[in-house]
Amino acid sequence: MPFLGQDWRSPGWRWVKTEDGWKRCEPFSPALEDGNNQLNDISHTVIITGDDGNEEVYNTEDCEFAAKKRKKYHFRNNTDSQCFYREKWIYVHKESTKERHGYCTLGEAFNRLDFSSAIQDIRRFNYVVKLLQLIAKSQLTSLSGAAQKNYFNILDKIVQKVMEDQYNPRLIKDLLQDLSSTLCILIRGVGKSVLVGNINIWICRLETILLWQQQLKNLQMNKQVNNGLTLSDLPLHMLNNILYRFSDGWDIITLGQVTPTLYMLSEDRQLWKKLCQYHFAEKQFCRHLIPSEKGHIDWKLMYFALQKYYPIKEQYGDTLHFCRHCSILFWKDTGHPCTASDPNTCLMPVSPQHFIDLFKF
């Protein structure tokens, strides 16, 4: 007679077959204990301040259940939760048909498009970070449990990459700031079903974000030791050409702080004028003219003033593409099984905001 009751191996645990039979794996490893000790170094009191100035304190007593589940949560979060697919594309469909049933979700897209590997590609890193930032601002409440897990797994890998390679820490700091601010507001809505999942799990995630922010705050940039040619050794016209290729004003300011020569080049009025013309239309200039003391237009101040009112052009080394003929979303260099006679005419680059719009139903 078949056994129809609950599995005796207790679903939810990992089991390994040995010579003596099935044995349950111990979920807590030394590495996991170290991670939990780091979390414990941060005060377990999370203060959430609302728009009205009122503060809600979640301390250890209020979050005993969260503390008990922390090790279990981090174990589950560190396990291989993603399924790896040979095809790096996903069919985007918004309605059921006779051939296809159901909908594609953000969780599926995270797996199919392999964002975990995409962040290792310097051309795609900024694109993925911007996408996660937009999700943090507007889509957290719509993420399923699987999508949440994939989201924070990818975020963890991004933080580790920045800590190891020290690549663009400002970008990830902005992402974590937006994410923590959004979570503080949403956690205050407990009881209103604003977040999918237990409130204690989200408090654990907020603690992890605070830990990441502290690690990035303490990040020390390694001084490169190189006896060869350096940036300062380049001719002025080459340094000027490098600055003209920047599309972000903050990057220009940061580079200008390296040497006095670069500072002089970074203050060039023509440089900031070109940057304004690249990102904004002339009609927008007329509404926010900022003259300098000499009567000239201060293009540097104009850029940052216009940035507050209008979105700047997004520039990425590589983006996702959408095939209008096949309704398939994919990375361009991986390709997809297109049936069009001329596939290149059907391709459309997808911005991070457009990506999110594809999965809104």
Side-chain angles (χ1 to χ4, degrees):
M1 179 178 177
F3 180 72
L4 301 178
Q6 187 178 11
D7 189 350
W8 63 275
R9 292 174 296 180
S10 178
W13 294 92
R14 294 185 63 187
W15 293 79
V16 177
K17 189 174 183 180
T18 64
E19 295 180 355
D20 299 328
W22 287 92
K23 289 188 177 181
R24 193 172 68 188
C25 292
E26 290 297 330
F28 307 124
S29 62
L32 183 60
E33 290 292 342
D34 293 340
N36 288 326
N37 290 336
Q38 283 184 308
L39 281 175
N40 291 331
D41 291 339
I42 296 180
S43 174
H44 287 167
T45 300
V46 180
I47 301 177
I48 301 174
T49 305
D51 298 333
D52 54 358
N54 295 328
E55 293 184 349
E56 293 186 14
V57 179
Y58 291 82
N59 52 37
T60 308
E61 296 179 357
D62 298 328
C63 303
E64 287 183 1
F65 182 71
K68 292 177 182 178
K69 279 202 166 186
R70 184 176 291 109
K71 290 184 178 180
K72 185 176 181 181
Y73 164 71
H74 282 284
F75 166 69
R76 289 181 175 179
N77 204 43
N78 290 334
T79 55
D80 296 331
S81 62
Q82 288 185 302
C83 301
F84 295 94
Y85 298 91
R86 182 176 300 176
E87 302 86 3
K88 304 299 182 184
W89 51 265
I90 184 171
Y91 178 79
V92 181
H93 52 104
K94 293 191 175 183
E95 57 185 15
S96 298
T97 63
K98 292 182 179 179
E99 294 78 15
R100 283 186 172 270
H101 296 276
Y103 304 91
C104 55
T105 63
L106 273 175
E108 288 182 83
F110 284 150
N111 279 339
R112 289 281 186 178
L113 298 173
D114 197 12
F115 284 166
S116 294
S117 299
I119 61 174
Q120 303 302 326
D121 190 333
I122 194 171
R123 301 171 303 163
R124 300 174 181 173
F125 182 85
N126 291 0
Y127 183 91
V128 177
V129 172
K130 181 64 176 179
L131 175 60
L132 296 187
Q133 189 173 16
L134 290 176
I135 292 175
K137 290 180 178 180
S138 62
Q139 296 297 308
L140 280 181
T141 55
S142 63
L143 291 181
S144 65
Q148 291 173 18
K149 195 171 184 179
N150 289 335
Y151 181 93
F152 282 93
N153 278 339
I154 295 170
L155 186 57
D156 180 40
K157 292 180 180 179
I158 290 176
V159 174
Q160 298 310 317
K161 178 177 176 60
V162 173
M163 295 295 296
E164 293 172 4
D165 301 343
Q166 301 176 347
Y167 175 74
N168 209 343
R170 178 169 58 84
L171 196 63
I172 188 63
K173 286 179 181 178
D174 292 341
L175 165 59
L176 293 178
Q177 181 60 42
D178 290 339
L179 182 57
S180 61
S181 299
T182 304
L183 275 183
C184 287
I185 295 172
L186 294 178
I187 288 176
R188 288 176 58 85
V190 61
K192 301 178 183 179
S193 301
V194 293
L195 285 170
V196 176
N198 191 292
I199 185 66
N200 299 291
I201 292 178
W202 284 103
I203 293 176
C204 288
R205 287 171 175 162
L206 183 57
E207 288 181 354
T208 304
I209 294 169
L210 295 176
L211 171 64
W212 287 338
Q213 288 179 313
Q214 189 64 36
Q215 289 175 341
L216 290 171
K217 184 178 180 180
N218 298 331
L219 178 64
Q220 297 292 330
M221 305 298 287
N222 295 331
K223 187 175 181 179
Q224 299 293 332
V225 179
N226 190 354
N227 297 326
L229 188 68
T230 64
L231 189 65
S232 302
D233 298 325
L234 296 176
L236 287 179
H237 72 276
M238 293 186 67
L239 293 175
N240 204 37
N241 285 337
I242 292 174
L243 286 169
Y244 269 82
R245 295 179 183 274
F246 280 48
S247 61
D248 190 332
W250 285 110
D251 291 337
I252 295 176
I253 292 177
T254 303
L255 186 60
Q257 296 172 349
V258 177
T259 64
T261 302
L262 287 170
Y263 175 77
M264 177 192 67
L265 295 175
S266 68
E267 293 294 315
D268 182 25
R269 289 181 61 252
Q270 192 65 22
L271 171 65
W272 290 98
K273 181 179 179 181
K274 291 287 185 182
L275 193 63
C276 288
Q277 291 174 341
Y278 173 77
H279 286 290
F280 310 106
E282 290 187 11
K283 293 182 179 179
Q284 297 169 343
F285 297 161
C286 300
R287 300 174 185 173
H288 304 278
L289 287 177
I290 302 177
S292 62
E293 296 179 356
K294 297 181 180 180
H296 303 294
I297 297 177
D298 193 330
W299 291 103
K300 182 178 178 180
L301 291 179
M302 276 276 291
Y303 170 80
F304 290 105
L306 292 169
Q307 194 180 33
K308 296 179 181 179
Y309 298 99
Y310 310 104
I312 63 175
K313 287 184 180 179
E314 296 178 355
Q315 190 178 51
Y316 304 103
D318 190 16
T319 65
L320 289 169
H321 281 69
F322 181 73
C323 179
R324 292 186 293 267
H325 178 77
C326 307
S327 296
I328 286 179
L329 192 65
F330 64 100
W331 294 105
K332 191 174 182 180
D333 60 350
T334 60
H336 75 289
C338 187
T339 58
S341 56
D342 189 3
N344 291 330
T345 60
C346 306
L347 301 186
M348 178 180 65
V350 176
S351 68
Q353 184 59 56
H354 186 196
F355 175 90
I356 294 176
D357 294 338
L358 287 173
F359 295 95
K360 284 183 179 179
F361 306 110

